Amino acid sequence: FLREEKANPEAAKGLGVPEGTRLFHSLLVHHENDVPVLCEDRYVNPRLVPDFMKQDFSAVQPSVYLVRNVQYDQIEHVVDAILPTAEQARLLQMAIDQPCLMLTRRTWLRGVPITWVHCVHPGMRYRLGSRFRTDSVHGG
């Protein structure tokens, strides 16, 4: 779904805004080969992203739209191991006792919150890793 609503206590705390603040809220399930791999629950500040509700998120993912169209100067990522809520388990077509990884991302521009999102990935369908290349070679 994609709707406008007033910030509940959790969303207000996540975005650092007063309860009742007008926000955009999206809840989307991403699929890979018809298998749900991500439940994305996002709140967006309409002051900084006024056209968010006008987007076709079946054509472009919200994160792609935001990165391409909205300036930000701070980003925070936190990864937690969780068990899904009943709704998340239903949307992700998994058992409620199976572990998930949840990425929580927040962004700001000049101290003003832009977005707060929980990305819940079924643990059995997700790997987290990285590979970095350095600019220098250290001898020893």
Side-chain angles (χ1 to χ4, degrees), residues 110-121:
R110 293 187 281 282
V112 178
I114 302 168
T115 187
W116 175 61
V117 60
H118 289 303
C119 297
V120 177
H121 303 266

Side-chain angles (χ1 to χ4, degrees), residues 27-45:
L27 179 64
L28 304 169
V29 177
H30 300 257
H31 293 80
E32 191 172 295
N33 298 321
D34 295 323
V35 176
V37 294
L38 164 61
C39 180
E40 176 187 315
D41 191 4
R42 180 182 301 272
Y43 289 89
V44 175
N45 184 340

Side-chain angles (χ1 to χ4, degrees):
F1 66 77
L2 182 62
R3 64 184 180 212
E4 184 177 320
E5 59 188 56
K6 294 182 187 230
N8 61 37
E10 183 184 16
K13 183 178 177 185
L15 272 172
V17 298
E19 283 185 44
T21 299
R22 180 177 151 255
L23 299 175
F24 297 148
H25 184 194
S26 63
L27 179 64
L28 304 169
V29 177
H30 300 257
H31 293 80
E32 191 172 295
N33 298 321
D34 295 323
V35 176
V37 294
L38 164 61
C39 180
E40 176 187 315
D41 191 4
R42 180 182 301 272
Y43 289 89
V44 175
N45 184 340
R47 284 183 27 218
L48 293 173
V49 195
D51 292 334
F52 186 79
M53 298 283 286
K54 298 175 185 173
Q55 304 313 304
D56 176 3
F57 291 122
S58 66
V60 62
Q61 294 180 11
S63 58
V64 172
Y65 168 77
L66 290 164
V67 166
R68 289 180 182 165
N69 295 284
V70 181
Q71 285 187 318
Y72 59 93
D73 58 15
Q74 289 184 62
I75 188 167
E76 173 187 77
H77 284 153
V78 177
V79 178
D80 293 295
I82 65 163
L83 290 175
T85 65
E87 179 183 24
Q88 290 164 341
R90 180 183 62 76
L91 292 170
L92 293 168
Q93 299 173 9
M94 61 184 292
I96 197 162
D97 63 348
Q98 292 180 312
C100 293
L101 286 177
M102 180 175 69
L103 168 67
T104 301
R105 178 186 305 126
R106 296 190 302 166
T107 57
W108 298 264
L109 178 61
R110 293 187 281 282
V112 178
I114 302 168
T115 187
W116 175 61
V117 60
H118 289 303
C119 297
V120 177
H121 303 266
M124 72 259 189
R125 299 180 202 144
Y126 188 77
R127 286 180 72 197
L128 179 64
S130 61
R131 179 177 175 174
F132 295 92
R133 183 179 182 111
T134 63
D135 293 328
S136 62
V137 176
H138 298 283

